[in-house]
Amino acid sequence: MKKGITTSTAEKKETPEGLWSKCPECGYICTMTELRENMFVCPKCTHHHRIGSAEYFEILFDDNKYEVLFENIRSKDFLHFTDLKSYGKRLDEIWAKTDITDSIRIGKGTVKGLSLMVGCMDFEFIGGSLGSVMGERIARAIDVCIEENIPMMIICKSGGARMMESAFSLMQLAKVSGKLSQLTDKKIPYISLQTDPSFGGISASFGMLGDLNIAEPGALIGFAGPRVIKETIKKDLPEGFQRSEFLLEHGFLDFIVPRKELKEKLATVLALFKN
């Protein structure tokens, strides 16, 4: 009390990182514990924060129990691609600091007792980019779905195709689309959930091929970004352009589902498909 509010630099304590979170939409500050309990949705403005595969699996699967498949498939630098650094070095650095092995993880489990195969993208792994490993993991997951008659769901969160793999990356658009047609032939449901952001080769292929195309509120979905489009057509874009609400209004989506209602809605949809 005698010192007042003055504190010497030596006595100042640094706040540990990761305890607080500030909403990018409304600026509301809350603890990470509160945000996690709210499924990473802002308690004030309901802005949906970006989350990874571990968080989605925890939200969706019963008792957070699931089997992760095809983790042994890893990316390789076939083209010896180099920009600011070599692709091989970039991959080694990411693997060293994270336990995520590629831009998609495949989880198999149950949602309210109903079996579901989920492919969920991780944006922190090279922007969730579509590469040969993502294509192969999805293709193998579809093979298991056909063999065991399990519905497939892909949670999209990507900036597009991975340029470091060039044509190897682009061919995945056709490869996955072809595999999905096999699901259609077997009358096995495929659900596409698009989150913020879903762009490039993802939205140009399997992101829009779902028997149900659904999205989270306020998700940015498109092929090229709004800035690129505006510069190309030299016109102002409509308000809310490329947001999930805009796409729903124009017929690209079947419905928008808030994260808190996702598991319940998904269980209802899976039960309807089954029966």
Side-chain angles (χ1 to χ4, degrees), residues 69-275:
L69 306 174
F70 317 121
E71 288 290 291
N72 58 318
I73 310 170
R74 299 287 187 103
S75 295
K76 287 186 179 177
D77 186 10
F78 291 109
L79 304 174
H80 307 295
F81 184 94
T82 304
D83 45 17
L84 296 175
K85 62 179 84 168
S86 74
Y87 178 41
K89 189 178 179 184
R90 198 181 289 273
L91 287 169
D92 289 337
E93 285 177 0
I94 294 170
W95 288 330
K97 66 183 180 185
T98 177
D99 57 352
I100 300 167
T101 54
D102 208 84
S103 48
I104 194 167
R105 285 173 81 214
I106 307 292
K108 180 186 169 192
T110 59
V111 179
K112 298 277 181 107
L114 297 161
S115 296
L116 182 66
M117 183 79 74
V118 179
C120 183
M121 296 173 197
D122 280 288
F123 197 77
E124 64 181 281
F125 195 102
I126 318 183
S129 50
L130 168 63
S132 52
V133 169
M134 184 189 284
E136 184 62 20
R137 285 185 181 180
I138 294 172
R140 293 195 188 189
I142 290 170
D143 286 337
V144 175
C145 288
I146 291 170
E147 193 179 314
E148 300 182 15
N149 197 27
I150 300 171
M152 178 83 193
M153 177 180 180
I154 297 177
I155 301 172
C156 303
K157 190 186 293 285
S158 172
R162 192 176 299 175
M163 65 172 186
M164 294 81 114
E165 293 188 14
S166 188
F168 288 108
S169 171
L170 293 175
M171 69 180 278
Q172 306 307 316
L173 279 74
K175 175 178 171 178
V176 176
S177 300
K179 293 299 289 185
L180 287 172
S181 68
Q182 294 180 0
L183 272 185
T184 306
D185 293 341
K186 295 287 182 182
K187 292 184 169 54
I188 297 169
Y190 161 55
I191 300 164
S192 174
L193 171 62
Q194 290 161 78
T195 67
D196 184 58
S198 296
F199 269 87
I202 300 294
S203 65
S205 59
F206 56 86
M208 288 291 182
L209 290 177
D211 297 306
L212 280 177
N213 291 327
I214 61 179
E216 287 186 339
L220 201 58
I221 303 162
F223 181 67
R227 189 172 65 247
V228 175
I229 295 171
K230 188 176 178 178
E231 286 173 4
T232 305
I233 66 173
K234 304 287 189 271
K235 286 182 182 178
D236 287 332
L237 300 170
E239 193 178 336
F241 181 69
Q242 289 189 326
R243 292 288 173 188
S244 50
E245 291 77 9
F246 185 88
L247 269 71
L248 178 68
E249 195 179 319
H250 290 77
F252 271 83
L253 297 172
D254 293 296
F255 56 84
I256 294 170
V257 56
R259 199 173 285 159
K260 288 182 176 180
E261 300 170 20
L262 180 59
K263 185 173 182 177
E264 199 67 47
K265 190 84 169 177
L266 206 54
T268 304
V269 163
L270 290 172
L272 290 171
F273 273 134
K274 192 173 182 180
N275 296 315

Side-chain angles (χ1 to χ4, degrees), residues 2-62:
K2 286 178 185 176
K3 285 183 180 179
I5 59 168
T6 57
T7 310
S8 68
T9 307
E11 290 176 0
K12 284 185 178 176
K13 293 180 175 65
E14 289 294 322
T15 307
E17 283 188 21
L19 286 180
W20 298 89
S21 173
K22 184 177 181 180
C23 176
E25 200 69 33
C26 70
Y28 177 76
I29 297 171
C30 66
T31 63
M32 280 303 293
T33 307
E34 184 186 354
L35 193 64
R36 181 176 284 277
E37 285 171 358
N38 211 42
M39 294 187 182
F40 297 92
V41 176
C42 175
K44 189 176 179 184
C45 72
T46 68
H47 170 75
H48 284 52
H49 290 250
R50 290 178 186 174
I51 56 175
S53 55
E55 289 80 12
Y56 274 113
F57 290 162
E58 189 179 337
I59 289 166
L60 289 174
F61 290 126
D62 298 336

